[in-house]
Amino acid sequence: MRDIITEIWSTARRNKLRTALTGFAVAWGIFMLIFLLGAGNGLINAQIQSADRFLVNSMKVYGGWTSKPYNGLKEGRPIDLKDRDTKATEEEFKENIGEVGAEINQGGITVSYGKEYFTSTLKGVYPNHCKINKREIICGRFINHIDIRDRRKVAVISEGKAKELSKDIKSLIGKHVKAGNTAFMVVGIYKDDASQQNDEVFTSYTALKILYGKGDMAGNIEYSFHGLTTKKQNEEFEQRYRARINANHQAAPDDENAVWLWNRYTSNMQMNTGIGIIRTALWIVGLFTLLSGIVGVSNIMLITVKERTREFGIRKAIGAKPWSILRLIITESIIITTIFGYAGMLCGIAANEYMNATIGQTKVDTGLFQATMFVNPTVGIDVCLEATLVMIAAGTLAGLIPARKAARIRPIKALTAE
């Protein structure tokens, strides 16, 4: 084996440019595959992180505007959800719908504590709002069912807004802040979410409706659901649900603009489909890049065999076995792909780590919220090793064809070859 390595090294030194170009093709193929997968994973992880802000099997219902005339009524009528819509949601769809809640807003409220204050939106919600929207409570608690039952004037404030009122946010728990002309007891502080404005102050749904005279206005309805696992099941449920709510407002059963449904489950299915397409495209591009390296190795091996035809003829004439020639060329192919493939893998890993350190948590600030565009743009070490092993195996196969040709050459023919 030592003699073979020495011979291969001698051949490589005599053909430096050819060996370097072949190695570059191999290394570039591995590098581009790992780099592309890392960049793609960064975008995909950002989308997954964004979607993870909500409970997947949940739905939010908004009032809209009718887009079709119905029962003598013209299109373009505004639809405001009412308490009867919440009741119908809770009572008539129990086979699929879990806990039902709603949210209703009162904007432009000044919240003050001593001399400190900020302007906010007061939002009346049910306890399930915290679970559906995945609010993280860092101290205290969220709105509970007793708050709803007793119409308690309680408040849950964001971490950022709490710091505007007091340096020690925990000291606010149990204290009263003034929202508008009404005192609210602070019962919890929730963690800021960079993707939202974080200026909302939550209170009990029933208290806000009474304080601001909302009557039978329901605001927006939100609920979790179960038993809807396919796109078809979700579409059928949405049709039934929309037709029922539309009936409460004299709107056409199939008028999709009268009531807007934000189904996070189908949105998640669409996102997963898109992610699958992106991953497939990245792998296809990466594999074609690998293929270019494999073709380069194969071409170089073919050229090597042609150039050394007379040499192989002499070897066979003095007693060399076909297997020795076969082994020489295959070994050369394996060594080239292994060394340069490993170098390409290390460069790809280094590039991904650099991306992760520089733009791995890139955020776009819109002025209202921050959106993360790139998260953890890296590839698992298992993928890196598998890609390198694939290149080595493919390089071996690429060298097998010219190796067999060299092993089968007849000495007399080789000696007369130009």
Side-chain angles (χ1 to χ4, degrees), residues 61 84 130 152 176 179 200 223 251 302 370 407:
V61 187
R84 64 177 182 270
C130 186
R152 288 177 174 175
H176 285 80
E200 298 169 329
Y223 52 84
L302 285 170
Q370 291 181 334

Side-chain angles (χ1 to χ4, degrees), residues 4-241:
I4 292 177
I5 299 296
T6 303
E7 187 173 349
I8 291 172
W9 173 247
S10 176
T11 303
R13 289 182 63 186
R14 289 197 307 268
N15 301 277
K16 295 178 182 179
L17 180 60
R18 188 177 69 191
T19 304
L21 292 176
T22 304
F24 177 78
V26 173
W28 182 254
I30 294 287
F31 171 81
M32 284 304 298
L33 175 64
I34 295 174
F35 181 78
L36 286 173
L37 291 178
N41 285 340
L43 295 172
I44 290 169
N45 291 337
Q47 294 301 314
I48 292 174
Q49 186 183 81
S50 177
D52 194 50
R53 294 186 295 110
F54 304 103
L55 183 68
V56 172
N57 58 318
S58 65
M59 195 175 298
K60 197 165 185 176
V61 187
Y62 303 85
W65 290 267
T66 57
S67 60
K68 301 177 180 180
Y70 186 71
N71 280 354
L73 299 173
K74 293 183 178 180
E75 69 275 11
R77 292 182 294 116
I79 301 296
D80 295 316
L81 298 178
K82 306 288 186 179
D83 288 339
R84 64 177 182 270
D85 299 318
T86 306
K87 185 176 180 181
T89 300
E90 192 170 18
E91 296 181 354
E92 300 180 26
F93 297 89
K94 291 181 179 180
E95 69 276 11
N96 294 118
I97 291 180
E99 187 177 2
V100 178
E103 60 176 27
I104 194 164
N105 301 336
Q106 184 66 32
I109 301 296
T110 299
V111 178
S112 61
Y113 179 68
K115 295 182 180 180
E116 306 300 331
Y117 66 91
F118 61 85
T119 302
S120 173
T121 296
L122 193 60
K123 178 173 286 190
V125 297
Y126 279 79
N128 69 335
H129 179 87
C130 186
K131 179 181 178 182
I132 288 176
N133 295 277
K134 294 189 176 181
R135 299 284 184 181
E136 182 180 345
I137 304 300
I138 57 178
C139 59
R141 63 173 178 83
F142 197 69
I143 309 301
N144 62 30
H145 291 287
I146 298 176
D147 297 329
I148 299 295
R149 183 193 67 192
D150 296 342
R151 301 173 183 174
R152 288 177 174 175
K153 294 184 285 292
V154 294
V156 180
I157 306 174
S158 71
E159 180 183 7
K161 293 301 180 182
K163 288 179 179 178
E164 293 184 24
L165 300 180
S166 174
K167 293 182 179 179
D168 182 9
I169 61 175
K170 292 184 178 179
S171 67
L172 290 174
I173 302 297
K175 302 294 177 59
H176 285 80
V177 296
K178 190 175 181 181
N181 297 317
T182 307
F184 288 78
M185 186 175 73
V186 179
V187 296
I189 308 292
Y190 67 90
K191 186 177 181 180
D192 286 344
D193 184 345
S195 63
Q196 300 184 33
Q197 288 182 269
N198 300 305
D199 66 346
E200 298 169 329
V201 175
F202 297 105
T203 188
S204 65
Y205 181 84
T206 49
L208 188 141
K209 288 191 69 174
I210 292 295
L211 287 172
Y212 293 96
K214 298 294 184 178
D216 65 345
M217 301 293 291
N220 303 318
I221 300 172
E222 56 186 2
Y223 52 84
S224 58
F225 59 84
H226 51 83
L228 306 175
T229 57
T230 66
K231 183 178 179 181
K232 182 179 180 181
Q233 288 175 335
N234 277 270
E235 289 176 347
E236 290 175 350
F237 172 82
E238 288 180 19
Q239 289 175 358
R240 289 189 292 113
Y241 181 78

Side-chain angles (χ1 to χ4, degrees), residues 106-406:
Q106 184 66 32
I109 301 296
T110 299
V111 178
S112 61
Y113 179 68
K115 295 182 180 180
E116 306 300 331
Y117 66 91
F118 61 85
T119 302
S120 173
T121 296
L122 193 60
K123 178 173 286 190
V125 297
Y126 279 79
N128 69 335
H129 179 87
C130 186
K131 179 181 178 182
I132 288 176
N133 295 277
K134 294 189 176 181
R135 299 284 184 181
E136 182 180 345
I137 304 300
I138 57 178
C139 59
R141 63 173 178 83
F142 197 69
I143 309 301
N144 62 30
H145 291 287
I146 298 176
D147 297 329
I148 299 295
R149 183 193 67 192
D150 296 342
R151 301 173 183 174
R152 288 177 174 175
K153 294 184 285 292
V154 294
V156 180
I157 306 174
S158 71
E159 180 183 7
K161 293 301 180 182
K163 288 179 179 178
E164 293 184 24
L165 300 180
S166 174
K167 293 182 179 179
D168 182 9
I169 61 175
K170 292 184 178 179
S171 67
L172 290 174
I173 302 297
K175 302 294 177 59
H176 285 80
V177 296
K178 190 175 181 181
N181 297 317
T182 307
F184 288 78
M185 186 175 73
V186 179
V187 296
I189 308 292
Y190 67 90
K191 186 177 181 180
D192 286 344
D193 184 345
S195 63
Q196 300 184 33
Q197 288 182 269
N198 300 305
D199 66 346
E200 298 169 329
V201 175
F202 297 105
T203 188
S204 65
Y205 181 84
T206 49
L208 188 141
K209 288 191 69 174
I210 292 295
L211 287 172
Y212 293 96
K214 298 294 184 178
D216 65 345
M217 301 293 291
N220 303 318
I221 300 172
E222 56 186 2
Y223 52 84
S224 58
F225 59 84
H226 51 83
L228 306 175
T229 57
T230 66
K231 183 178 179 181
K232 182 179 180 181
Q233 288 175 335
N234 277 270
E235 289 176 347
E236 290 175 350
F237 172 82
E238 288 180 19
Q239 289 175 358
R240 289 189 292 113
Y241 181 78
R242 180 179 285 109
R244 177 64 186 87
I245 301 303
N246 283 0
N248 283 344
H249 301 274
Q250 292 294 300
D254 59 345
D255 190 344
E256 297 184 0
N257 292 323
V259 173
W260 297 341
L261 303 179
W262 179 14
N263 188 334
R264 277 116 179 206
Y265 189 87
T266 54
S267 296
N268 190 67
M269 291 173 66
Q270 293 170 355
M271 182 191 72
N272 288 337
T273 300
I275 287 174
I277 293 172
I278 292 173
R279 280 186 171 145
T280 301
L282 289 172
W283 272 105
I284 290 174
V285 173
L287 290 175
F288 272 106
T289 307
L290 280 180
L291 182 61
S292 67
I294 295 168
V295 171
V297 174
S298 182
N299 286 338
I300 293 301
M301 292 298 103
L302 285 170
I303 293 172
T304 299
V305 169
K306 186 174 181 180
E307 288 181 346
R308 301 173 68 184
T309 299
R310 290 177 63 85
E311 175 191 334
F312 294 147
I314 294 173
R315 284 171 179 262
K316 294 191 74 174
I318 61 177
K321 302 293 183 182
W323 164 243
S324 65
I325 298 174
L326 187 70
R327 183 176 59 178
L328 174 65
I329 297 177
I330 291 179
T331 302
E332 182 176 346
S333 177
I334 292 174
I335 289 175
I336 290 175
T337 52
T338 301
I339 293 175
F340 288 99
Y342 184 72
M345 181 189 76
L346 292 180
C347 290
I349 292 174
N352 283 343
E353 290 299 327
Y354 178 76
M355 277 196 299
N356 190 36
T358 54
I359 58 176
Q361 291 292 332
T362 300
K363 296 181 184 293
V364 176
D365 193 343
T366 66
L368 296 176
F369 60 88
Q370 291 181 334
T372 303
M373 303 301 293
F374 223 58
V375 176
N376 189 25
T378 57
V379 178
I381 190 65
D382 56 331
V383 175
C384 297
L385 291 175
E386 287 169 4
T388 305
L389 289 174
V390 166
M391 176 61 87
I392 292 172
T396 303
L397 293 175
L400 183 61
I401 297 174
R404 292 182 64 186
K405 181 179 179 181

